Amino acid sequence: MSNRKRKHGIFAVSNEAVEMIQTEEIQQQKPTGKPIAEALDTVFNQMKVAGNRPRTIESYSYIFKQFMQMNDIEYVEQINIDSIYNYLGSLDVSQRTKLIRLKSTKAVLSKFHNNGWIKDRFWSNIQIKIDKEVKKGAKETDIDRLLQLIDKTTFIGFRDACAVTLMYKTGIRIRTLGEVRERHIDFENLYLNLDGSTLKNHKFLKLPITQELADMLQMLVKLNRGIREYYDTDNSHVFITQNGLSMNSSKSSNNAISKQLSKYSKRFGLENINAHAIRRAYAKSLLEKGASIAIISKALGHSDLAVTTQYLDLDVEEVARDLREYL
């Protein structure tokens, strides 16, 4: 057989065959498995059915899609410990923010594991250390001064005074405040009855209120009806905007009351006046009046006593003095 025949005959390979071989090699190299987009749709639907808030799901979605894009991941099987470290290392954010991103990523991966798409929980030991910043509660004197300085002759001023008083007397979160409806207030028996839809932990909470606070809230309800009638709005929220709308209409927790507190803080020279500081002040006030940490934790809607102890901002000397009484 001639060399020419070998070249163009038996041993000759067509261009089509070469392309087929190359295509097969590429397909073999391309990862396959559970598509990430499909997995996320399933997980987020499960979270929705389980009662997770839309805001929580949206936060998880944003962070995990950022993780996917950073690592160019298309399939669940591509995720490994290196991809997590690569994502964290690429973030130009504070350690605290990085920890939040890590927790959200872990939460989604745990749901992948629960669905059987990932066998090993390789992310469990990944940790980010941060110096815990103990936030101070607002001073009772500052809260009293704020309530004195707010112009309560206007609708906005009176609404804000009611909001500050309610937060300080019950410790509810700013987001919960915006979800309080008229039906949640038992004016006869002086209770705030919050169902799971209004709270972060989705559990029912019953909190006592004073007669003075109940009178303020009844007056606010009457004012609200006039506002809603004027602007032709329909809702039963206790805290509404000056146009009669719900304050929690946006995804942000920075609602109208929160913005007003920021303005008051600057206007009146009060350094630590915000919704979270008022909530912490409520916790510290309960402790000073003799309430146990377990009771305070329940009132705040905490699932972990460790979180409650952080709210109380106890210093070493204070703890030592209290412990001496039990010796």
Side-chain angles (χ1 to χ4, degrees), residues 156-180:
I156 295 298
F158 185 72
R159 179 204 67 186
D160 294 348
C162 289
V164 171
T165 305
L166 183 61
M167 286 191 290
Y168 184 52
K169 294 299 182 180
T170 64
I172 60 174
R173 295 180 174 88
I174 188 73
R175 191 78 186 175
T176 301
L177 183 82
E179 294 297 331
V180 173

Side-chain angles (χ1 to χ4, degrees), residues 154-160 220 223-233 235 237-249 255-257 259-260 263-264:
T154 67
F155 169 73
I156 295 298
F158 185 72
R159 179 204 67 186
D160 294 348
L220 181 61
L223 293 174
N224 287 344
R225 289 170 185 167
I227 295 288
R228 282 193 287 262
E229 183 178 352
Y230 182 82
Y231 287 100
D232 194 24
T233 56
N235 62 69
H237 291 83
V238 175
F239 295 93
I240 59 176
T241 68
Q242 59 186 347
N243 298 321
L245 301 174
S246 163
M247 292 195 305
N248 286 355
S249 56
N255 62 29
I257 300 295
K259 292 176 182 177
Q260 285 293 105
K263 290 180 181 178
Y264 292 140

Side-chain angles (χ1 to χ4, degrees), residues 44-95:
F44 294 147
N45 281 331
Q46 291 171 344
M47 291 177 67
K48 188 175 181 180
V49 171
N52 286 270
R53 294 177 182 276
R55 187 179 172 201
T56 300
I57 297 173
E58 288 168 6
S59 176
Y60 279 14
S61 176
Y62 170 78
I63 292 172
F64 202 82
K65 286 178 180 178
Q66 186 184 55
F67 164 74
M68 289 164 47
Q69 293 169 358
M70 192 66 65
N71 288 286
D72 194 23
I73 292 174
E74 296 180 21
Y75 297 90
V76 172
E77 290 75 9
Q78 291 177 271
I79 302 172
N80 55 40
I81 196 167
D82 290 333
S83 58
I84 298 176
Y85 278 116
N86 179 54
Y87 169 61
L88 295 174
S90 67
L91 296 174
D92 185 19
V93 295
S94 68
Q95 287 293 94

Side-chain angles (χ1 to χ4, degrees), residues 113-315:
H113 174 76
N114 294 340
N115 280 284
W117 303 324
I118 297 179
K119 293 182 179 180
D120 301 319
R121 298 173 63 89
F122 52 80
W123 56 87
S124 298
N125 294 326
I126 301 177
Q127 303 292 336
I128 293 178
K129 292 184 178 181
I130 59 172
D131 295 327
K132 289 189 177 180
E133 178 186 356
V134 179
K135 296 180 180 179
K136 300 283 186 180
K139 295 179 181 178
E140 184 177 8
T141 53
D142 285 346
I143 295 175
D144 289 341
R145 183 163 178 254
L146 172 63
L147 291 172
Q148 290 173 1
L149 293 173
I150 291 177
D151 181 5
K152 293 181 279 295
T153 62
T154 67
F155 169 73
I156 295 298
F158 185 72
R159 179 204 67 186
D160 294 348
C162 289
V164 171
T165 305
L166 183 61
M167 286 191 290
Y168 184 52
K169 294 299 182 180
T170 64
I172 60 174
R173 295 180 174 88
I174 188 73
R175 191 78 186 175
T176 301
L177 183 82
E179 294 297 331
V180 173
R181 266 77 162 179
E182 293 176 17
R183 61 182 169 82
H184 291 138
I185 305 174
D186 181 350
F187 289 108
E188 183 178 351
N189 298 301
L190 300 180
Y191 283 107
L192 183 65
N193 298 311
L194 300 173
D195 54 53
S197 65
T198 65
L199 298 170
K200 189 175 180 180
N201 63 2
H202 305 285
K203 295 181 180 179
F204 175 79
L205 186 61
K206 187 173 184 176
L207 298 166
I209 58 175
T210 64
Q211 184 63 59
E212 181 183 3
L213 176 55
D215 292 341
M216 290 178 67
L217 292 174
Q218 279 187 317
M219 177 60 70
L220 181 61
V221 168
K222 291 180 181 178
L223 293 174
N224 287 344
R225 289 170 185 167
I227 295 288
R228 282 193 287 262
E229 183 178 352
Y230 182 82
Y231 287 100
D232 194 24
T233 56
D234 183 22
N235 62 69
S236 62
H237 291 83
V238 175
F239 295 93
I240 59 176
T241 68
Q242 59 186 347
N243 298 321
L245 301 174
S246 163
M247 292 195 305
N248 286 355
S249 56
S250 70
K251 298 173 185 176
S252 171
S253 61
N254 191 28
N255 62 29
I257 300 295
S258 183
K259 292 176 182 177
Q260 285 293 105
L261 289 176
S262 180
K263 290 180 181 178
Y264 292 140
S265 178
K266 294 175 182 177
R267 184 186 304 167
F268 303 137
L270 302 171
E271 293 184 4
N272 195 29
I273 289 295
N274 57 70
H276 214 123
I278 294 173
R279 179 170 158 83
R280 287 174 180 271
Y282 165 75
K284 195 66 181 289
S285 174
L286 288 181
L287 183 70
E288 291 172 349
K289 292 174 182 176
S292 68
I293 292 180
I295 290 292
I296 297 170
S297 183
K298 188 70 175 178
L300 292 172
H302 287 162
S303 57
D304 189 347
L305 287 176
V307 178
T308 308
T309 57
Q310 291 178 21
Y311 266 64
L312 297 175
D313 183 29
L314 300 176
D315 60 38

